[in-house]
Amino acid sequence: MNEAGSRTLGEVLYDIRTNKLKLSLRKASDLVGISHNYLNLLEKGIDPRNQRPIQATPEILKRLSEGYDYPYAELLSLGGFMIEHEETSNKVNLKEILQGSKQVTFEDKELNSKEKRKIIDIIKVLLS
């Protein structure tokens, strides 16, 4: 589980601002480059005028990530945006890649399914 756990975007933003950075809404909004009213709405998660959820754009989440020194991928995820696995982690499961449906190449040669299975078998022997 990430640092955010199952908390909402607003809860995470509020926690970082108040506990980690110890900033007022106005100082945090100056740091990030958005209005303090908008930051307050993001933290609350609901627009009080219409009771609808507030949806931050990826650009706003990028600003928050940079200003708050918090992983952009996690803010994107909390904001409801789909992220590719490769963006959120630098770990790659080689077996999944080799067994997957995507084409795999090695030195510009496309590997067929038989070659991919052989590579998996060789790796198993090497690691045993």
Side-chain angles (χ1 to χ4, degrees):
M1 186 177 347
N2 61 30
E3 182 183 330
S6 60
R7 298 183 299 161
T8 66
L9 174 63
E11 291 169 336
V12 169
L13 294 176
Y14 178 81
D15 183 52
I16 295 169
R17 179 179 64 80
T18 60
N19 296 322
K20 180 181 172 192
L21 300 175
K22 302 193 184 319
L23 294 174
S24 69
L25 267 172
R26 287 185 190 271
K27 288 191 187 260
S29 68
D30 287 344
L31 174 70
V32 175
I34 61 176
S35 77
H36 68 278
N37 289 326
Y38 184 54
L39 180 55
N40 188 35
L41 290 176
L42 288 174
E43 288 180 358
K44 290 181 178 176
I46 299 288
D47 186 335
R49 298 168 294 181
N50 57 24
Q51 300 304 308
R52 291 190 180 156
I54 296 292
Q55 178 70 44
T57 64
E59 170 60 32
I60 295 297
L61 295 174
K62 183 72 171 167
R63 289 184 190 184
L64 287 161
S65 167
E66 291 168 355
Y68 283 11
D69 191 27
Y70 193 82
Y72 180 53
E74 287 190 30
L75 291 183
L76 281 174
S77 179
L78 289 167
F81 294 95
M82 297 295 291
I83 325 169
E84 292 296 319
H85 175 70
E86 291 78 15
E87 292 180 40
T88 60
S89 173
N90 59 0
K91 292 183 181 180
V92 176
N93 186 322
L94 185 56
K95 185 175 180 182
E96 286 180 10
I97 291 172
L98 291 169
Q99 289 179 332
S101 61
K102 290 187 178 181
Q103 186 57 50
V104 177
T105 61
F106 182 77
E107 295 182 342
D108 296 326
K109 180 194 182 310
E110 292 184 6
L111 304 178
N112 62 37
S113 58
K114 185 177 179 182
E115 291 166 330
K116 289 192 244 180
R117 280 193 303 274
K118 283 183 182 179
I119 291 169
I120 291 171
D121 291 341
I122 291 168
I123 292 171
K124 283 180 181 178
V125 169
L126 288 172
L127 297 177
S128 61

